[in-house]
Amino acid sequence: MATALVSDMYTAAEQRAASVTAVEERFISQAMGRGLFATRQFREDDLIFEETPVVSCQFVYNKEYGYRACDQCLRSLETAECNVRRLCQEPLLVLPHPECADTALPAVLLCPGCQAEYCSEECRREAWQQHHQLLCYAPSHSDHPLTRLLVEWKQHHYPPETLSILLLARLLAGVLLSPDAVTASASLARFCHASVSARDAASHKLLGPEFVQHIHALRTLMAEVFPDPRLAEWMSEEGFKSLLALVGSNGQGVASSPLARWVTRCDDLPLKGQDRDQLDAFIDNLYEKLDSTVGTFLNTEGSGLYRLQSLLNHSCRPNAIVTFPHNSHTLQVRAVRDIAPGQPVFISYLDDCTLARSRHSRRKTLRENYVFACACERCDDETIQPDVTSDEDMDDDEQ
């Protein structure tokens, strides 16, 4: 049910995208829309494609809570040790095996106007060209439309965050800064074609119970950010709802963590016996400390809109997985089992916990969040089984 992002919208995004000759886009059906299909054989753990987003941004609360990341690529701007000291609130904590950590931080560059942080001159330049020249403002300016937009957004969207209104703002800024804004806007419109009922359901899930009042406030403030008449159709009630449905159903979560990278490398160390036991005990104790201070909010987190990833359809028995191996918003899609030429590439839209539940529960979550009834191979196989397989699922039925 993925809605593809416009492929010709940003020339820069096309230039940065990896070669994708290994997959091709095909129409599947009216119900499922389009999808990606393998054009060659993939074995388990093979790289299918790598991609940078059309647009991405850090979550609002995540940034306010002190998670430092490049404002363009979301690369963490902390070492693993600095990261864990801040999260554990232990300024003298020392991580063993420093060879497993990223040894050098990037030379942080600042936007002279708003002090946004970037990991490189390339990221600062890309941000300026794609959106930042229209969205740069002093955060201390409390009456700025963007400041008021974020305040309104935060009143309804608390951690754990799944999206940021800035993603939509950067998308619209990109339309205005493209070589032909009228063509870019028309291209975007082709991908905001969900039915009214599906669109409203997705927007309602995104915005919460105060749907009407909240969407009106967001739309009014966004129109103040972008008074340009070339965006008039997106500032209308119908256009704004379509955009919210687009980013709500296609936004891909992005997370970077220098601590997680250190732990992964520690797992690969050739340690045995007591040395391995001591390291494992240290890591277990570290996560217990983190659980008591920040719970599950360990990573620098945000979301992005990806041209190819948005074409990947869901399956409760996926043959591929999305990963972020570069500590940034660059994603990879890798095979988790063999994929033959001509077969569709599927990922799971569900987390591992939900994916392990019954067909009834999985379909309920997908219906609420993505507005479709799953009819994947696994769901079809389980039609001969009772939908409800646990006490937790029984509770779902009673709601």
Side-chain angles (χ1 to χ4, degrees):
M1 291 297 294
T3 301
L5 292 177
V6 58
S7 60
D8 58 348
M9 189 168 175
Y10 304 118
T11 302
E14 288 291 324
Q15 293 174 342
R16 288 182 283 116
S19 173
V20 294
T21 56
V23 291
E24 65 179 9
E25 178 184 348
R26 296 183 193 171
F27 176 77
I28 302 174
S29 67
Q30 288 293 340
M32 293 190 66
R34 310 188 73 82
L36 287 184
F37 290 74
T39 59
R40 66 172 180 82
Q41 177 74 42
F42 291 103
R43 301 297 184 188
E44 183 178 349
D45 202 41
D46 279 354
L47 175 64
I48 301 174
F49 66 84
E50 181 173 288
E51 183 181 21
T52 54
V54 172
V55 64
S56 67
C57 66
Q58 187 178 0
F59 290 143
V60 178
Y61 278 108
N62 189 267
K63 185 173 184 178
E64 290 190 357
Y65 289 166
Y67 292 82
R68 295 180 60 203
C70 174
D71 201 54
Q72 174 67 2
C73 76
L74 300 186
R75 178 181 177 182
S76 177
L77 299 179
E78 294 180 300
T79 64
E81 199 162 77
C82 289
N83 177 249
V84 76
R85 285 176 175 178
R86 176 176 60 80
L87 294 177
C88 285
Q89 301 176 19
E90 293 188 17
L92 300 180
L93 190 150
V94 176
L95 294 179
H97 298 285
E99 71 276 12
C100 293
D102 294 322
T103 55
L105 278 177
V108 177
L109 302 176
L110 300 178
C111 169
C114 66
Q115 303 301 297
E117 296 184 314
Y118 298 99
C119 69
S120 66
E121 180 58 37
E122 179 184 7
C123 277
R124 183 165 65 175
R125 183 173 60 253
E126 282 186 359
W128 186 259
Q129 293 171 346
Q130 293 173 17
H131 54 78
H132 195 64
Q133 59 186 283
L134 296 182
L135 300 176
C136 181
Y137 75 104
S140 59
H141 188 177
S142 61
D143 198 45
H144 192 280
L146 270 174
T147 301
R148 291 186 285 120
L149 180 68
L150 291 177
V151 169
E152 172 65 27
W153 179 261
K154 286 161 55 181
Q155 289 177 352
H156 297 265
H157 298 274
Y158 301 99
E161 298 171 89
T162 57
L163 192 66
S164 171
I165 193 65
L166 284 179
L167 195 66
L168 199 157
R170 291 184 177 187
L171 185 65
L172 292 173
V175 170
L176 294 178
L177 292 172
S178 64
D180 184 345
V182 175
T183 300
S185 184
S187 297
L188 179 59
R190 293 200 301 269
F191 295 91
C192 292
H193 54 67
S195 68
V196 173
S197 59
R199 182 207 60 203
D200 287 349
S203 297
H204 184 85
K205 177 68 178 180
L206 175 66
L207 295 169
E210 296 174 310
F211 174 66
V212 177
Q213 295 84 357
H214 187 43
I215 194 172
H216 176 74
L218 290 173
R219 183 167 62 91
T220 300
L221 291 166
M222 190 70 77
E224 291 184 31
V225 176
F226 297 109
D228 195 303
R230 291 175 294 176
L231 294 180
E233 66 174 303
W234 303 116
M235 296 302 108
S236 70
E237 182 178 351
E238 295 301 306
F240 195 70
K241 284 182 179 179
S242 294
L243 284 176
L244 285 168
L246 175 68
V247 298
S249 58
N250 286 280
Q252 166 67 50
V254 180
S256 62
S257 170
L259 174 60
R261 287 166 64 84
W262 173 80
V263 171
T264 298
R265 291 168 180 168
C266 284
D267 289 341
D268 294 335
L269 289 173
L271 301 178
K272 296 181 180 179
Q274 184 177 9
D275 290 340
R276 170 55 65 185
D277 292 342
Q278 288 179 345
L279 179 58
D280 289 345
F282 177 88
I283 293 173
D284 289 343
N285 182 59
L286 184 61
Y287 276 111
E288 287 180 8
K289 291 180 180 179
L290 290 168
D291 185 62
S292 67
T293 55
V294 295
T296 59
F297 302 104
L298 299 177
N299 304 328
T300 299
E301 295 183 332
S303 61
L305 292 171
Y306 294 81
R307 182 175 65 84
L308 288 172
Q309 179 274 339
S310 67
L311 283 165
L312 291 171
N313 285 300
H314 166 83
S315 173
C316 297
R317 190 178 288 154
N319 56 18
I321 189 173
V322 174
T323 66
F324 294 88
H326 303 302
N327 198 34
S328 70
H329 66 189
T330 299
L331 66 74
Q332 288 185 351
V333 174
R334 289 189 172 272
V336 295
R337 51 192 173 92
D338 291 355
I339 305 173
Q343 286 187 331
V345 180
F346 288 119
I347 60 173
S348 173
Y349 296 174
L350 304 174
D351 59 43
D352 291 341
C353 181
T354 307
L355 195 61
R357 298 179 68 187
S358 73
R359 172 178 174 269
H360 162 80
S361 185
R362 299 194 309 270
R363 297 187 84 195
K364 179 176 183 290
T365 301
L366 290 166
R367 190 165 51 247
E368 290 177 348
N369 290 276
Y370 299 97
V371 202
F372 74 93
C374 186
C376 71
E377 179 185 49
R378 180 181 169 193
C379 286
D380 284 347
D381 289 346
E382 292 177 3
T383 55
I384 59 172
Q385 308 262 345
D387 276 349
V388 179
T389 58
S390 69
D391 291 340
E392 193 170 16
D393 291 333
M394 289 290 288
D395 291 340
D396 288 339
D397 271 341
E398 294 169 1
Q399 292 177 357

